């Protein structure tokens, strides 16, 4: 008890001396993990004051639209998944009309065209993800309340987002660990652009730190960065008429500093992707080159998780990242044209499943001609998307909640 009071007191005494997070940025705690959740998410409260309710939103730097699984009226949702909270209830006065400028901006961000003839009172959308998942719905605006940390009153603001009443999930699992998505892409009505447009943050910057032990944090706006240790790469410019993602340009995948394939490929940062995805060809080369370096005590197994197709067991099973390091000696990395590298140690390319197997968390997708870097590879790195300067940066650091940043909010 005494220790607890001491720490509260410490916090109170320290507070006035520390940089204030409330004026130029927003800090969110993250929950979730790579496995078994498959998502890192924030908790946001949505609704007018007395009616606000919490929702879990998957932080997704790979898409522009935020949306929630939603009851579009009459107590029904056409196809909703089993989400953690009761469905968001649509009320018609929250609908964004089709003629509204927000509807144009959203369609521009989705690369679609609006059709107002059939239902002028609403703004329909459809969003498709590269893994085959999709959401169909209408655009609404409602009040979000943002926790600003201890002793700071929460901020409230009207945000436009999708009410998704018809979802297709990849595979056939109907239960999901989030209520929707938080679109942090390079759009104009993405979440961060809306916050900046309303003056809630001053700069369009996103920083995520996903902990390998689950949780972590997300900062929107300005954030103190380690000045010299950060690796920076310019963001590939947007190309009109194409789906633009956050890209640090082209890179080769290296295995123990040797290129797996000599042709550099476009790399995309996508926090909405659980694993890292490679085009089939690169995947095949990677696996064939990994093979000789594997420890002889490993045996190939079929894991219960259908998504993870290359798994190994060891006597006694895998329990921690130390076990991974004992059996998998190879370090991978991305090498960019600028000379910058991102290191990928075993815990950033392997996942330990419920059955105690180690599975390759670099997967292939036949539709891909680029490399999609997902949560598994981002773990325990502070990753910054600087939309003001057009730069992407990363820095290896533990992302546990106890990290320095949380003593400041
Ligand atoms: C997000 O919106 C921007 C601006 O409208 C667009 O250029 C980009 O292609 C969109 N990104 C995706 C992944 O659709």
């Amino acid at each position: 008890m005494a220790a607890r009071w001491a720490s509260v007191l410490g916090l109170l005494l320290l507070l006035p001396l520390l940089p204030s997070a409330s004026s130029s940025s927003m800090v969110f705690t993250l929950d979730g993990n790579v496995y078994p959740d498959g998502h890192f998410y924030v908790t946001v409260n949505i609704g007018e004051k007395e009616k606000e309710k919490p929702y879990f939103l998957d932080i997704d730097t790979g898409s522009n639209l935020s949306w929630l699984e939603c009851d579009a009226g009459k107590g029904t949702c056409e196809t909703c998944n089993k989400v953690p909270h009761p469905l968001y209830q649509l009320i018609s006065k929250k609908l964004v009309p089709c003629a509204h400028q927000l509807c144009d901006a959203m369609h521009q961000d989705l690369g679609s065209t609006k059709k107002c003839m059939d239902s002028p009172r609403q703004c329909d959308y459809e969003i498709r993800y590269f893994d085959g998942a999709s959401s169909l719905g209408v655009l609404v605006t409602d009040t979000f309340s943002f926790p600003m940390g201890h002793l700071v009153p929460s901020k409230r603001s009207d945000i436009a987002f999708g009410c998704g009443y018809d979802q297709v999930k990849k595979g056939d699992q109907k239960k999901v660990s989030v209520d929707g998505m938080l679109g942090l892409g390079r759009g104009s009505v993405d979440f961060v652009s809306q916050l900046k447009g309303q003056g809630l943050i001053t700069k369009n910057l996103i920083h995520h730190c996903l902990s390998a032990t689950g949780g972590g944090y997300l900062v929107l706006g300005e954030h103190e960065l380690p000045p010299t240790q950060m690796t920076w790469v310019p963001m590939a410019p947007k190309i009109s008429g194409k789906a633009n993602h956050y890209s640090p340009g082209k890179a080769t995948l290296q295995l123990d500093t040797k290129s797996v394939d000599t042709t550099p490929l476009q790399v995309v940062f996508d926090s909405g992707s659980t694993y890292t995805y490679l085009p089939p060809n690169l995947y095949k080369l990677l696996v064939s080159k990994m093979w000789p370096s594997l420890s002889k005590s490993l045996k190939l197994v079929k894991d219960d998780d259908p998504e993870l197709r290359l798994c190994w067991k060891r006597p006694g099973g895998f329990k921690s990242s130390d076990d991974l390091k004992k059996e998998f000696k190879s370090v991978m990395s991305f090498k960019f044209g600028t000379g910058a590298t991102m290191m990928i140690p075993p815990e950033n390319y392997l996942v330990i499943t419920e059955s105690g197997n180690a599975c390759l968390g670099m997967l292939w997708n036949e539709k891909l001609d680029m490399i999609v870097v997902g949560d598994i590879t981002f773990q325990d790195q502070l990753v910054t998307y600087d939309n003001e300067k057009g730069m992407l940066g990363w820095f290896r650091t533990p992302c546990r909640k106890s990290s320095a940043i949380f003593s400041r909010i």
Side-chain angles (χ1 to χ4, degrees), residues 55 64 71 102 209 237 288 315 321 357 368 398:
Y55 300 94
N64 289 330
D71 172 358
L102 273 171
C209 206
S288 69
S321 61
N357 299 321
L368 280 183

Side-chain angles (χ1 to χ4, degrees), residues 117-128:
M117 296 290 267
D118 302 340
S119 35
R121 289 177 56 234
Q122 67 194 52
C123 173
D124 296 308
Y125 76 84
E126 181 171 16
I127 183 164
R128 291 178 179 280

Side-chain angles (χ1 to χ4, degrees), residues 295-329:
S295 149
K296 296 288 167 283
S297 57
L298 293 176
K299 269 216 172 77
L300 271 179
V301 279
K302 194 176 171 334
D303 194 82
D304 297 331
D305 191 320
E307 210 185 347
L308 300 168
R309 279 175 280 193
L310 190 54
C311 302
W312 295 271
K313 66 173 183 186
R314 79 195 277 251
F318 286 96
K319 291 184 192 75
S320 65
S321 61
D322 284 340
D323 292 343
L324 290 179
K325 282 198 184 94
K326 268 179 222 151
E327 309 289 348
F328 297 87
K329 304 276 187 228

Side-chain angles (χ1 to χ4, degrees), residues 234-256:
M235 239 180 236
K238 283 192 197 176
I239 303 167
S240 75
K242 269 195 77 175
N244 290 296
H245 293 93
Y246 289 111
S247 170
K250 288 186 173 185
T252 52
L253 177 62
Q254 318 267 119
L255 184 69
D256 298 318

Side-chain angles (χ1 to χ4, degrees), residues 38-59:
H39 306 282
F40 284 87
Y41 55 89
V42 291
T43 305
V44 290
N45 291 310
I46 307 175
E48 281 160 31
K49 236 177 187 149
E50 273 77 46
K51 293 185 216 139
E52 65 172 48
K53 296 198 176 74
Y55 300 94
F56 294 157
L57 301 183
D58 187 354
I59 57 161

Side-chain angles (χ1 to χ4, degrees), residues 62-64 108-110 186-188 238 242-245:
S63 68
N64 289 330
Q108 190 201 322
D109 281 4
L110 294 181
R186 304 172 77 178
S188 48
K238 283 192 197 176
K242 269 195 77 175
N244 290 296
H245 293 93

Side-chain angles (χ1 to χ4, degrees), residues 206-235:
I206 300 161
H207 319 264
H208 59 63
C209 206
L210 316 177
S211 171
T213 52
Y217 61 87
L218 170 76
V219 180
L220 304 178
E222 284 176 285
H223 176 38
E224 247 179 84
L225 299 171
T228 54
Q229 297 120 301
M230 203 91 184
T231 302
W232 290 104
V233 163
M235 239 180 236

